[in-house]
Amino acid sequence: MYQARVSNIVLPTESTVSVDVDEAMWKVFVAIGDFWKLGDDPEPYRLRFREFMANRITMSPMYRDFYVVAKTVMDSLIGQYGAAAYEQLFTQKPRIAPAAPPQTPLEFVQQYVANEFIALRLALGSFKTFGAINYCGYFGGANIEGQPVPYRTPSEGE
Amino acid sequence: MVDTLIIGSGVVATAISQRLLEKNPLASILILEAGGRIKTKDFSVWEQYLITGRPPYEVCRDLDYPQRDVPGENASVGITPIPLIGARLFVYGGSTMHWGGWSFRLKPEDFRLNSNAKEGGDWPIDYDTLEPYYSQAETYLAVSGDSSDRTVPRRSEYPFRPFPFTLQDQPLIGAFQKLKYAYGNLPIARRGVSGVSSRHAPCQTTGTCKYCPFGARYVASDYLDDIREWNDYPNLDIRLGSAVESITVASKQRASGVVYTDKSSGQSVTVEAKTIIVAGGTIESAKLLQRSTSTYWPHGIGNDNDLVGRYFITHPYFIFSGFIPSNNLKLQPEMNFPTLVSRQFDSDAEQKKGKFVLVNPPDTVPVALAAKMQAGFSRAEIDKYATGRIPLQVHGMVEVFGRYENRIQNLPRRNHIGLLQTSVDFSADQGFKDRMSQIKAQVQKIYEAMGAELTDDANVSWRADHAACTCRMSSDPSGGVVNKDLRVHGMDNVLVCSNAVFPNLGSVNPTLTLTALALRLADSLSGAAPHES
């Protein structure tokens, strides 16, 4: 019974940010899948995504403004680059983990918004495109006699 | 006046309280904890941890040692630095808030180290005495393990079936098989699913064990909350933010109570108690005895022979790194706890040199997908990275032996929790490097058997996670601080229950053994027969 998947039973159906900010952030989240060819339908993640933003704001109310800033930056990038704006967001940065506070609005959005969405997107299930069936942050399921093991075992390497 | 006063709110306080209260719901128990509360099983906090990798209890750690530009706290005065930061937590629930849950039993020969190897001390109890309590501790901590594994003698089954090996275990299993090394499932305190009902959720293999969103890994504060919220125990009192300064005595043989500082008011509070259990961990337990000076005990309680705080050890945790030429199976971390262990070298034959265990860490092949995406790598680059030449690690722990010169002491200044800071004086034996060379030679064979390349000497962490032996159990006062019943030699009503009382540490994690000792002590205090519970 612990293996049963129950999705979105008590999650917020309305965003804690304004509709236009919610929509802009969702587009970033969707673009992550498109850019890295993750191959999964993001729509089932939408309520968890919304809840994630709500939780980030709960933990740190500044995040409400972070998401507003992110929309502004994305509007500007889209104005400049059109459809390639998201590629700019995901790739215009040093190819190392950021070690210092962001210096520009774009770096700010990359660190505090896009990078967090990337981590969330993988944990919600997109990691599977890279070959595993479980991942840190994913609710793989319990270890129950007679039921499939919720992660790959040596038999899958034979 | 309370009947039982327990200092510290970790697994010892929780297990003893629960057992005493089950026996007598009116038992008078006071638990004093210097730290505060961290919310557990909170989804917002969990997501914060998931995204940042920073658990909410970081503030409950020691600060790092003082450095040129950082004031820090504590002092490492020996030749070998022993990091305290990250090793333990000052918090409601103690270090179970962050423990890994590796739940090994010591082996019978570990109880006879001195007789066998002329090192450390012999335990004044033997394995058979503790065996029933190991079983109870496995049930109490909700350990998943392989009941058919007879590496260590056992008379009962684990409460939950073992977690099967992961695909990531395959290279190391193959090497163990080629080399004919014994291996098995690592017993791990993660609740499983069985016919036994529990209000605690089973592990969902979520891979965020250091802050489990379900509470499937034992955290003492969750259990203390249960004790308080689901029962009617009118005489149980838990006071957080209570830094115990000293134990007071009425005579040479009897303590009268403790003095603690209520951190919220800054007031000094005196409590009288019939029995005092010091369960503040290896370091704080020894320090408390040391600073509890009086005319009866001028050098601190139980310290007439200058043994309190001495023989300090911990486990050197070693990490060997190398590479596999390709990762065709797309191995990557799918779990957050290990499932494979070899106790091949945790044996009689190795005891004199220092036993060791080998563990396949959950991130043995540390493919970091999120980090690569966040750094802007393309899909093609990530695919190449995840299937190409990639690092491969083997971890382990080795036993070292207690030395009189290695000791813990109080420093005359406070840490950020409000307790006196710690001086750690530790110098590793001259022979330790040789021992690591011997271990490397064994690990070299394993890498060759895996078709992998071992590239470096081990990275050894001396962090004090498994600090132990500062108040050793002994048959008489000349050899240690407490007797086989954990009572301080020379005192009737002060007991120590922490890893401090271990005469030696073996090569495995101590918490299961500590829990077994706590349950045994609870039986002793309540007058229960050993198998009654």
Side-chain angles (χ1 to χ4, degrees):
Chain A
M1 63 178 174
Y2 294 109
Q3 292 282 64
R5 299 283 192 277
V6 180
S7 300
N8 310 322
I9 48 174
V10 289
L11 304 181
T13 53
E14 292 184 10
S15 175
T16 50
V17 296
S18 66
V19 172
D20 56 340
V21 171
D22 178 71
E23 193 59 32
M25 295 304 96
W26 177 245
K27 284 179 179 171
V28 172
F29 189 78
V30 171
I32 290 167
D34 296 338
F35 178 74
W36 277 286
K37 303 178 182 66
L38 299 178
D40 52 347
D41 176 10
E43 201 54 41
Y45 307 145
R46 181 138 197 178
L47 293 181
R48 274 290 302 275
F49 172 76
R50 233 174 225 167
E51 189 203 23
F52 174 80
M53 286 198 294
N55 285 337
R56 300 303 281 147
I57 292 168
T58 299
M59 292 294 293
S60 177
M62 287 187 302
Y63 266 78
R64 193 186 302 279
D65 294 333
F66 288 6
Y67 296 133
V68 172
V69 170
K71 179 185 181 303
T72 304
V73 169
M74 287 315 302
D75 287 346
S76 171
L77 281 177
I78 290 167
Q80 275 185 275
Y81 299 101
Y86 295 101
E87 185 175 341
Q88 293 289 314
L89 174 68
F90 299 142
T91 62
Q92 291 309 299
K93 51 187 167 185
R95 304 187 113 208
I96 52 172
Q103 301 292 315
T104 67
L106 176 60
E107 285 179 16
F108 183 89
V109 175
Q110 287 169 333
Q111 283 189 32
Y112 289 104
V113 178
N115 283 357
E116 293 192 359
F117 289 174
I118 287 168
L120 177 69
R121 179 74 190 252
L122 286 171
L124 289 178
S126 298
F127 70 90
K128 291 177 182 173
T129 188
F130 295 102
I133 64 172
N134 204 351
Y135 182 82
C136 292
Y138 182 70
F139 297 165
N143 170 35
I144 302 175
E145 189 81 47
Q147 295 200 21
V149 178
Y151 49 87
R152 291 184 298 167
T153 61
S155 65
E156 287 162 78
E158 292 167 356
Chain B
M1 169 75 81
V2 296
D3 288 343
T4 307
L5 189 153
I6 308 177
I7 299 159
S9 66
V11 64
V12 169
T14 310
I16 290 176
S17 299
Q18 184 168 331
R19 186 152 286 189
L20 293 181
L21 290 164
E22 285 169 358
K23 185 85 174 172
N24 173 18
L26 296 178
S28 157
I29 299 173
L30 170 62
I31 297 172
L32 296 176
E33 166 58 52
R37 173 189 278 274
I38 294 289
K39 204 173 182 183
T40 59
K41 297 180 284 186
D42 181 276
F43 203 71
S44 298
V45 175
W46 173 74
E47 282 192 332
Q48 167 90 358
Y49 170 57
L50 170 67
I51 295 302
T52 65
R54 300 185 63 179
Y57 42 75
E58 281 186 326
V59 294
C60 310
R61 295 172 174 165
D62 291 272
L63 301 183
D64 210 347
Y65 289 121
Q67 296 166 42
R68 189 174 57 185
D69 300 322
V70 181
E73 61 190 22
N74 305 314
S76 181
V77 300
I79 294 171
T80 308
I82 302 287
L84 296 182
I85 183 171
R88 56 183 184 157
L89 296 177
F90 299 98
V91 67
Y92 177 45
S95 293
T96 60
M97 185 70 74
H98 75 164
W99 77 307
W102 304 12
S103 298
F104 295 104
R105 295 180 176 205
L106 290 171
K107 288 185 162 181
E109 68 266 19
D110 291 319
F111 292 76
R112 304 186 300 269
L113 175 65
N114 188 266
S115 297
N116 294 348
K118 305 295 177 230
E119 293 285 1
D122 282 348
W123 291 56
I125 56 174
D126 61 13
Y127 177 82
D128 287 340
T129 303
L130 207 54
E131 201 282 337
Y133 293 101
Y134 268 131
S135 295
Q136 293 171 29
E138 285 161 351
T139 299
Y140 178 69
L141 295 172
V143 178
S144 294
D146 180 4
S147 301
S148 68
D149 185 342
R150 298 293 151 168
T151 304
V152 186
R154 55 183 309 113
R155 298 193 190 104
S156 60
E157 298 202 338
Y158 283 102
F160 303 108
R161 73 173 200 145
F163 281 84
F165 296 124
T166 67
L167 183 58
Q168 281 207 107
D169 293 331
Q170 190 184 47
L172 196 52
I173 288 174
F176 287 157
Q177 288 173 340
K178 276 185 196 169
L179 297 167
K180 299 189 180 348
Y181 289 173
Y183 66 92
N185 298 88
L186 190 147
I188 191 88
R190 298 291 186 278
R191 187 166 289 279
V193 178
S194 73
V196 180
S197 61
S198 170
R199 66 166 299 278
H200 297 279
C203 172
Q204 296 289 331
T205 60
T206 306
T208 50
C209 299
K210 292 293 184 182
Y211 189 87
C212 178
F214 310 108
R217 173 178 59 85
Y218 177 91
V219 174
S221 57
D222 289 342
Y223 282 64
L224 279 174
D225 283 345
D226 288 351
I227 291 172
R228 293 198 300 182
E229 294 167 9
W230 294 70
N231 299 283
D232 184 13
Y233 296 142
N235 300 318
L236 170 65
D237 187 3
I238 302 171
R239 299 180 195 169
L240 307 185
S242 302
V244 178
E245 305 293 347
S246 65
I247 298 169
T248 55
V249 293
S251 66
K252 179 82 177 179
Q253 289 79 27
R254 285 201 69 79
S256 54
V258 304
V259 176
Y260 73 88
T261 300
D262 178 344
K263 290 162 57 181
S264 62
S265 67
Q267 298 296 308
S268 181
V269 181
T270 300
V271 181
E272 294 187 330
K274 292 178 183 170
T275 299
I276 297 168
I277 301 172
V278 182
T282 290
I283 294 171
E284 296 310 320
S285 295
K287 286 165 58 189
L288 176 59
L289 295 188
Q290 286 173 347
R291 63 179 181 256
S292 297
T293 55
S294 63
T295 53
Y296 301 108
W297 296 98
H299 306 293
I301 287 177
N303 202 24
D304 282 354
N305 294 320
D306 191 18
L307 294 176
V308 175
R310 301 255 183 207
Y311 297 103
F312 170 81
I313 59 170
T314 187
H315 274 138
Y317 186 92
F318 56 78
I319 299 174
F320 284 98
S321 298
F323 286 88
I324 48 175
S326 65
N327 185 18
N328 296 329
L329 292 173
K330 299 180 178 177
L331 302 177
Q332 52 196 278
E334 296 190 50
M335 298 278 276
N336 197 213
F337 58 82
T339 46
L340 171 64
V341 62
S342 172
R343 299 184 75 171
Q344 172 76 22
F345 301 98
D346 177 4
S347 66
D348 284 301
E350 299 288 326
Q351 196 168 21
K352 197 169 180 61
K353 294 177 285 188
K355 305 163 104 189
F356 64 96
V357 295
L358 297 168
V359 175
N360 199 41
D363 53 353
T364 181
V365 177
V367 172
L369 297 173
K372 290 293 178 187
M373 290 168 67
Q374 289 166 343
F377 283 66
S378 69
R379 174 62 191 257
E381 289 172 318
I382 295 173
D383 284 339
K384 189 176 175 187
Y385 150 77
T387 55
R389 183 174 186 261
I390 205 151
L392 184 146
Q393 294 184 341
V394 173
H395 293 196
M397 286 172 287
V398 55
E399 177 172 27
V400 294
F401 306 120
R403 301 288 178 241
Y404 180 81
E405 298 74 23
N406 292 333
R407 70 187 306 194
I408 295 296
Q409 289 181 288
N410 289 282
L411 289 174
R413 52 182 184 266
R414 303 274 166 177
N415 67 10
H416 72 290
I417 301 296
L419 292 165
L420 288 182
Q421 293 186 25
T422 302
S423 164
V424 184
D425 187 350
F426 184 87
S427 300
D429 284 358
Q430 295 274 327
F432 180 71
K433 281 186 179 172
D434 291 340
R435 185 56 176 149
M436 284 310 303
S437 296
Q438 294 163 4
I439 294 171
K440 184 181 178 184
Q442 296 294 347
V443 173
Q444 177 73 51
K445 290 183 203 169
I446 292 170
Y447 270 77
E448 287 169 7
M450 287 192 290
E453 175 193 2
L454 177 61
T455 51
D456 296 305
D457 287 338
N459 179 1
V460 178
S461 166
W462 284 92
R463 200 174 69 176
D465 295 37
H466 298 172
C469 302
T470 55
C471 300
R472 303 196 304 183
M473 254 190 276
S474 65
S475 299
D476 68 81
S478 65
V481 177
V482 301
N483 68 15
K484 66 182 174 61
D485 297 321
L486 309 185
R487 212 170 293 275
V488 173
H489 286 300
M491 291 218 77
D492 295 336
N493 64 338
V494 177
L495 302 104
V496 180
C497 193
S498 85
N499 298 340
V501 303
F502 287 28
N504 56 64
L505 196 47
S507 59
V508 293
N509 308 53
T511 300
L512 184 76
T513 301
L514 175 61
T515 307
L517 288 173
L519 294 171
R520 178 171 174 267
L521 174 57
D523 273 1
S524 167
L525 293 173
S526 68
H531 300 283
E532 187 181 319
S533 300

